[in-house]
Amino acid sequence: MIKQISTVAVYVEDQQRAKQFWTEQVGFTVTAEFPMGPNTFWLEVGPEGAQSRLVLYPKSMMSNWEEQKASIVFESDDVLGAYETMKAKGVEFAGEPQQMQWGNYVSFRDLDGNEFLLKG
């Protein structure tokens, strides 16, 4: 039986630049970084202690990366606090946090234009 999501690939131009974004601006930690070829790595990041992680995969190694975009939703106990912290660190948001019956949400983009949803 499947028990959890292990990783989700996010296709990026520059792995080190993407690593800096996810660790310094979003607040994730690096959970794996292994050489995969010349100037490329198997690079995983995620929230501290989380079981699911993002793989920051180089676009240059995936000819059809444009067709492989994932829809990723991050959950937070404090969407408004996370929004304020991330925004202060330069993360680009698609708008202000919105409130629904089930909670708050807001969309943000990484440096490669991938869009993510933060909900809680």
Side-chain angles (χ1 to χ4, degrees):
M1 298 293 294
I2 296 173
K3 63 180 183 175
Q4 71 183 27
I5 295 172
S6 177
T7 60
V8 176
V10 175
Y11 301 97
V12 301
E13 292 290 339
D14 182 324
Q15 284 184 297
Q16 295 308 309
R17 187 170 159 241
K19 178 172 83 171
Q20 185 176 22
F21 171 81
W22 285 104
T23 58
E24 294 178 15
Q25 293 180 264
V26 178
F28 285 5
T29 59
V30 174
T31 57
E33 188 169 8
F34 306 105
M36 224 168 51
N39 300 317
T40 59
F41 300 87
W42 180 263
L43 179 56
E44 294 180 14
V45 297
E48 183 73 38
Q51 294 179 333
S52 299
R53 297 160 314 277
L54 298 180
V55 175
L56 305 178
Y57 200 85
K59 290 179 181 179
S60 62
M61 295 188 71
M62 187 71 131
S63 62
N64 65 338
W65 66 267
E66 293 160 321
E67 301 164 17
Q68 304 294 324
K69 292 187 178 184
S71 175
I72 302 171
V73 178
F74 296 104
E75 189 161 338
S76 173
D77 290 333
D78 181 8
V79 171
L80 300 177
Y83 166 80
E84 292 297 336
T85 299
M86 291 166 62
K87 187 174 181 178
K89 292 182 178 182
V91 175
E92 177 188 346
F93 284 86
E96 299 292 318
Q98 303 295 310
Q99 186 168 2
M100 300 294 282
Q101 292 176 329
W102 47 264
N104 296 316
Y105 73 94
V106 65
S107 295
F108 68 95
R109 291 182 195 87
D110 69 5
L111 300 173
D112 290 281
N114 297 304
E115 193 163 313
F116 305 91
L117 188 75
L118 179 63
K119 77 170 188 89

